Amino acid sequence: MTTDSDGVCTAEGVPAGDPGHPAQRTLCEADRALVARRQRALGAPCQLSYTPPLHPVSARGAWLFGAGGERYLDASDSVPVVGHCHPRVVEAISRQTATLSASLRYIGADILDYTERLLATLPDPLDRVIYTCSGSEAVDLALRMARMATGAEGIIVTENAYHGSTAATAAISPCIGGRMPLGVHVRTVPAPDRYRFFGTDVAQAFAAEVEAAIEDLRRYGMRVAAFVADSLFDSDGIFVSPAGFLRGAMDAVHRAGGLYIADEVQCGFGRAGSHFWAFQRHGIVPDIVVMGKPMGNGYPVAGLAARSVLLEDFCEDSHYFNSMAGGPVAAAAAGAVLDVLRDENLMANAEQTGASLKAGLNMLSEEFPSFGDVRGTGLYLGVELVRDRDSREPDSALASRVVTGMRERGVLVGLTGPFQNVLKIRPPLIFSEEHVGILLTTLSQTLECESGAS
Amino acid sequence: MTTDSDGVCTAEGVPAGDPGHPAQRTLCEADRALVARRQRALGAPCQLSYTPPLHPVSARGAWLFGAGGERYLDASDSVPVVGHCHPRVVEAISRQTATLSASLRYIGADILDYTERLLATLPDPLDRVIYTCSGSEAVDLALRMARMATGAEGIIVTENAYHGSTAATAAISPCIGGRMPLGVHVRTVPAPDRYRFFGTDVAQAFAAEVEAAIEDLRRYGMRVAAFVADSLFDSDGIFVSPAGFLRGAMDAVHRAGGLYIADEVQCGFGRAGSHFWAFQRHGIVPDIVVMGKPMGNGYPVAGLAARSVLLEDFCEDSHYFNSMAGGPVAAAAAGAVLDVLRDENLMANAEQTGASLKAGLNMLSEEFPSFGDVRGTGLYLGVELVRDRDSREPDSALASRVVTGMRERGVLVGLTGPFQNVLKIRPPLIFSEEHVGILLTTLSQTLECESGAS
């Protein structure tokens, strides 16, 4: 298997008469018309990814396919964790949708089977699950529970965190920026960035920042309700080392009477490779674990796990119900995802293939001085691009060009970090050595092309 | 077709050896075990409906089926608007799930086709749609937009309103009660209850209450951002008459610089019979229309429609994205619902069958003095049960017994209103005259049985 884009360095190399070629910079007329209709009907809220944007018409495994036969290796989307349109997930959703899709207001065995399997992946004393449709809803619910359980209001997050799109979760998501204000009850701490800020003593420095935030809340008459952290710090730039660095921060929050909420919406379900949940790398147990995106491999199902004692107050008084959440189709989809993860041994594959991919990225690092840092775990990897290895000045422009260049060559990766200079590589966990080869070759070609151009 | 429960008045009449009989009061051993597992795994957040709770294993059209062959006519659930497991919706979901379920970050024709069809059902100048997974997320988003567009904070809702389960929507949902506080920026007004509070001048009285709430916000230094109302006032007890009564309230809010948000999460998509959207009965145009439950007939898809001018500020600054919302499977499911509504002429059926059902309820009203009021529109009907027609004292206990009695006889209806004394009848829009007959016969039998018992 080879990429569709061998040797293609720029758009000039693309045959003008082949509108299906992935390297074509301009959209075909039909797609331009769709983009115009989109602007009229959806407005600006939902920006298209990639330049030019993609128009996939089908997908399978690690691949998206366009109408013109072009294909894209998807190393970007954290949702299709067992691969796009996995037949077992498709079959489970189809079968259950045809049979019953009633709400959780009725007795059903399937959601209980699933819940028990899900709880078995989590450490004690996490023993209860509440379902939602989206990760945003799950974080929102975790915040409500934390405030009720602690009687406190303060929330601590990292400086470029993203935790959701509801009013309450957007208010703790500094990453959004623009005119979306943080809540007055929110304090931010620098991300545990060993590369850029903390030197090597990440654990101590991060804990000290969290303690300072707790103290700052106190000065304003507030106590901390929760410290909320993406277990791999995706939007901050992906930070994973040294394993264990989260413990001091968690302990500080616990001493102050607050809860630790692990946001596993992007990183959960085996992607970290060594562990099913990314927080487990730190040898700690959160008070609440929030999960979403990969949970249904595209079917909208999300939720949280918590200690039963935390839920009691909330459950007695909140009359929480979500009519779309935790129904039999959600159970079927999410159950099939667990089946495939187990039967195809995908967590182990994430660890092995992820290690192989990381080793390849480290080799490219020797060749390309723009590689400031290669980091990550399992199949959740980041490559920080810099102008200069000494100054470590972020090279956001290069990162953007690399993403576009790889997209033109048929490989999709993302961007993250406050400077948008970190290549984000998050393929489905079925990613093979062959896929790794395609990705590395394409990245190398793109970087060579950029080196020649600069 | 006859009911399963002809002549069965009490549980004593149920054959003990027939565990599948719907009238059996106690759960079978297997179901008791499931309920115990549920308590251990899910905790209390999600209460089961009905006594004893149901354990459906499949569903089709207007019917839910239990494992023992028992069946229930579903006149309660607003989600399966075109009937449970409608083959065209099932086929659309299955086909698209097998083909592509990528996010709205990519170009796709299906969601645009759907959006244009959806906008065609809405009056000008509503010209933009944003998608979410649940009605709660959609209301939450509408609140964010309203605050950004008006620069104001105040929200006005009815006294027993329910608008969602996120932090922001729970804070405007007095119906939740318990320890869930309303926001300090929230003001409540009595529901437009012609039966109980307002006499016949509902429009004027309701507008005056909204004006008073605006004035009260002003006294606390706040301006009104939005008046949010379920277009049929479901949780307040279902209020529909006289058509037009919402105009004065909307005008008052507009004069004060606020927006009118129509919550159509439960009542939209043709259920009102005379109109596709229930607000249209009042001859008015909301600034934002929020929709959900029936939109995907069980597939989690929801959203809002708004005037483009309102979205501009929000879209520029909020970077809103919901990775589970508005994808190709949501478009397929929601599109199939519109197809079926059109091809099976279900809005007209809601009007005709609803009128027939309402006429039948009015006839029962002559026989049963506990019927204080019969009201509603299309297939969204309420029967308010009272101890005495003169005092109009709510008979919550009777209402609860009627729901249980009907469930025992194989017909599912709900309860609503601040006193939980209003029978809520919301069958799928495929409801036939035959179904109406079953429902009325069962209701009559249950009431006769109650009359004999009391």
Side-chain angles (χ1 to χ4, degrees):
Chain A
M1 199 179 285
T2 61
T3 70
D4 290 322
S5 49
D6 284 353
V8 177
C9 259
T10 67
E12 282 71 43
V14 180
D18 179 7
H21 196 289
Q24 182 166 305
R25 277 190 191 275
T26 53
L27 289 173
C28 66
E29 196 169 336
D31 281 353
R32 276 202 305 275
L34 287 175
V35 171
R37 282 173 64 198
R38 184 180 167 101
Q39 288 298 329
R40 280 196 302 274
L42 302 179
C46 179
Q47 298 300 329
L48 289 160
S49 291
Y50 299 107
T51 309
L54 267 64
H55 180 176
V57 296
S58 66
R60 188 77 168 202
W63 296 92
L64 289 167
F65 301 96
E70 69 279 19
R71 63 180 187 176
Y72 303 90
L73 184 64
D74 188 354
S76 165
D77 191 352
S78 63
V79 172
V81 63
V82 297
H84 289 279
C85 303
H86 193 291
R88 291 180 69 181
V89 180
V90 171
E91 197 277 333
I93 292 171
S94 301
R95 182 178 31 78
Q96 190 59 51
T97 301
T99 308
L100 180 72
S101 64
S103 88
L104 199 47
R105 292 279 198 203
Y106 299 137
I107 299 173
D110 293 350
I111 193 66
L112 299 178
D113 292 343
Y114 177 73
T115 304
E116 288 164 2
R117 293 177 69 188
L118 184 67
L119 285 169
T121 69
L122 287 155
D124 292 333
L126 296 162
D127 60 352
R128 293 287 190 279
V129 177
I130 303 185
Y131 292 96
T132 63
C133 294
S134 73
S136 290
E137 283 188 330
V139 177
D140 193 291
L141 191 57
L143 293 177
R144 286 180 67 192
M145 286 172 50
R147 284 171 179 151
M148 200 173 260
T150 61
E153 271 295 302
I155 304 290
I156 299 170
V157 295
T158 49
E159 277 176 354
N160 205 50
Y162 177 78
H163 294 296
S165 62
T166 65
T169 56
I172 67 163
S173 296
C175 171
I176 294 174
R179 284 201 301 160
M180 177 63 220
L182 296 178
V184 292
H185 58 285
V186 177
R187 294 295 179 276
T188 64
V189 294
D193 178 349
R194 184 158 68 168
Y195 177 66
R196 199 165 283 283
F197 294 114
F198 280 103
T200 51
D201 201 357
V202 175
Q204 196 182 335
F206 192 60
E209 292 283 357
V210 169
E211 279 170 354
I214 292 169
E215 184 52 36
D216 193 57
L217 283 168
R218 264 199 208 106
R219 291 193 61 219
Y220 289 82
M222 290 181 276
R223 289 179 298 117
V224 60
F227 164 59
V228 188
D230 177 328
S231 301
L232 294 184
F233 297 89
D234 180 300
S235 57
D236 283 294
I238 307 175
F239 301 109
V240 304
S241 301
F245 73 69
L246 267 169
R247 174 176 291 281
M250 180 188 77
D251 290 346
V253 171
H254 281 165
R255 280 195 303 275
L259 305 181
Y260 160 44
I261 298 174
D263 184 340
E264 295 266 341
V265 171
Q266 306 214 67
C267 56
F269 292 90
R271 180 172 289 283
S274 59
H275 297 82
F276 196 82
W277 302 101
F279 68 80
Q280 293 176 305
R281 298 178 61 257
H282 293 279
I284 56 178
V285 180
D287 300 288
I288 303 175
V289 178
V290 177
M291 59 197 75
K293 294 188 197 297
M295 194 168 182
N297 210 49
Y299 188 89
V301 51
L304 63 81
R307 294 185 281 123
S308 51
V309 64
L310 279 182
L311 270 74
E312 278 169 16
D313 281 351
F314 179 79
C315 293
E316 262 176 39
D317 280 323
S318 68
H319 303 282
Y320 175 77
F321 185 65
N322 186 323
S323 51
M324 299 295 193
V329 185
V337 169
L338 289 189
D339 290 342
V340 176
L341 287 171
R342 177 196 61 206
D343 296 346
E344 300 186 12
N345 210 15
L346 293 187
M347 195 168 99
N349 185 62
E351 187 166 29
Q352 288 151 24
T353 309
S356 170
L357 178 52
K358 197 174 182 182
L361 293 170
N362 277 318
M363 283 182 64
L364 288 185
S365 182
E366 292 173 20
E367 192 180 345
F368 296 102
S370 56
F371 275 44
D373 194 29
V374 173
R375 57 191 181 240
T377 178
L379 283 169
Y380 211 124
L381 300 172
V383 179
E384 178 150 3
L385 299 182
V386 294
R387 287 186 191 280
D388 178 278
R389 284 192 179 173
D390 291 328
S391 72
R392 302 187 174 186
E393 186 188 346
D395 198 341
S396 313
L398 174 63
S400 172
R401 291 199 306 274
V402 169
V403 168
T404 299
M406 291 186 74
R407 174 254 182 269
E408 288 176 349
R409 292 169 178 83
V411 178
L412 305 178
V413 298
L415 272 187
T416 191
F419 311 109
Q420 292 285 290
N421 70 318
V422 179
L423 301 178
K424 179 163 68 172
I425 303 173
R426 297 186 311 190
L429 307 193
I430 55 158
F431 221 57
S432 67
E433 290 296 335
E434 198 171 9
H435 297 136
V436 168
I438 295 169
L439 189 149
L440 290 171
T441 303
T442 305
L443 177 56
S444 176
Q445 285 172 350
T446 306
L447 287 161
E448 270 166 25
C449 188
E450 287 296 329
S451 305
S454 64
Chain B
M1 199 180 283
T2 61
T3 70
D4 290 322
S5 49
D6 284 353
V8 177
C9 259
T10 68
E12 281 70 40
V14 181
D18 179 8
H21 196 288
Q24 182 164 305
R25 277 190 192 274
T26 53
L27 288 173
C28 65
E29 196 169 338
D31 281 353
R32 276 203 305 275
L34 287 175
V35 171
R37 283 172 64 197
R38 183 180 168 102
Q39 288 298 328
R40 281 196 302 275
L42 302 180
C46 180
Q47 299 300 330
L48 289 160
S49 292
Y50 299 106
T51 308
L54 266 64
H55 181 176
V57 296
S58 66
R60 188 77 166 202
W63 296 92
L64 289 166
F65 301 96
E70 70 278 19
R71 63 180 187 174
Y72 304 90
L73 183 65
D74 188 354
S76 166
D77 191 350
S78 63
V79 172
V81 64
V82 297
H84 289 279
C85 303
H86 194 289
R88 290 180 71 181
V89 179
V90 171
E91 197 278 333
I93 292 171
S94 301
R95 182 178 31 77
Q96 190 59 50
T97 300
T99 308
L100 179 73
S101 64
S103 87
L104 200 47
R105 292 279 197 202
Y106 300 137
I107 299 173
D110 292 350
I111 192 65
L112 299 177
D113 291 344
Y114 177 72
T115 304
E116 289 164 1
R117 293 177 69 188
L118 183 66
L119 286 169
T121 69
L122 287 155
D124 291 332
L126 296 162
D127 59 353
R128 293 288 190 277
V129 177
I130 303 184
Y131 292 97
T132 64
C133 294
S134 72
S136 290
E137 283 188 330
V139 177
D140 192 291
L141 191 57
L143 294 176
R144 287 180 68 193
M145 287 173 49
R147 283 169 178 151
M148 200 172 259
T150 62
E153 271 296 301
I155 304 289
I156 298 170
V157 295
T158 49
E159 276 176 356
N160 205 51
Y162 178 78
H163 294 296
S165 62
T166 66
T169 56
I172 67 162
S173 295
C175 170
I176 294 173
R179 285 201 301 159
M180 178 62 220
L182 295 179
V184 293
H185 57 285
V186 177
R187 294 297 180 275
T188 64
V189 294
D193 179 348
R194 185 159 67 169
Y195 177 65
R196 198 165 284 284
F197 294 115
F198 280 104
T200 50
D201 202 355
V202 175
Q204 196 182 337
F206 192 61
E209 292 282 356
V210 169
E211 279 170 354
I214 293 169
E215 185 52 34
D216 193 58
L217 283 168
R218 264 198 208 108
R219 291 193 60 221
Y220 288 82
M222 289 182 277
R223 288 178 299 117
V224 60
F227 164 59
V228 188
D230 177 330
S231 303
L232 294 184
F233 298 89
D234 179 302
S235 57
D236 283 294
I238 307 175
F239 301 109
V240 304
S241 299
F245 73 70
L246 268 169
R247 175 177 291 280
M250 180 188 78
D251 289 347
V253 172
H254 281 165
R255 280 195 302 275
L259 305 182
Y260 160 44
I261 298 173
D263 185 339
E264 296 266 340
V265 170
Q266 305 214 65
C267 56
F269 291 91
R271 181 172 289 284
S274 58
H275 298 81
F276 196 82
W277 302 100
F279 69 78
Q280 294 176 305
R281 298 179 59 258
H282 295 278
I284 57 178
V285 181
D287 299 288
I288 303 175
V289 177
V290 176
M291 57 196 77
K293 295 187 197 296
M295 194 168 180
N297 210 50
Y299 188 89
V301 51
L304 62 80
R307 294 185 282 124
S308 50
V309 64
L310 278 182
L311 269 75
E312 279 169 16
D313 281 351
F314 179 80
C315 294
E316 262 177 38
D317 280 321
S318 68
H319 302 284
Y320 175 79
F321 185 66
N322 186 322
S323 51
M324 300 295 193
V329 186
V337 170
L338 289 189
D339 289 343
V340 176
L341 287 171
R342 177 197 60 205
D343 295 346
E344 300 186 12
N345 211 15
L346 293 187
M347 196 168 99
N349 185 63
E351 187 168 28
Q352 288 151 21
T353 309
S356 168
L357 177 52
K358 196 173 182 182
L361 293 169
N362 277 320
M363 282 181 64
L364 290 185
S365 181
E366 291 172 20
E367 191 180 346
F368 297 102
S370 56
F371 275 43
D373 194 29
V374 173
R375 57 191 179 238
T377 178
L379 283 169
Y380 210 126
L381 300 172
V383 179
E384 178 150 3
L385 300 182
V386 293
R387 288 186 191 280
D388 179 280
R389 284 192 179 172
D390 291 328
S391 73
R392 302 187 175 186
E393 187 188 347
D395 199 341
S396 312
L398 173 62
S400 173
R401 291 198 307 274
V402 169
V403 167
T404 299
M406 290 186 74
R407 174 254 183 269
E408 288 176 349
R409 293 170 178 83
V411 177
L412 305 178
V413 299
L415 272 186
T416 192
F419 311 108
Q420 291 285 290
N421 71 318
V422 179
L423 301 178
K424 179 163 69 172
I425 304 173
R426 296 184 312 188
L429 306 194
I430 55 158
F431 221 56
S432 67
E433 290 296 336
E434 198 170 10
H435 297 136
V436 168
I438 295 170
L439 189 149
L440 290 171
T441 303
T442 305
L443 177 56
S444 176
Q445 285 171 348
T446 306
L447 287 161
E448 272 168 22
C449 188
E450 286 297 330
S451 305
S454 63

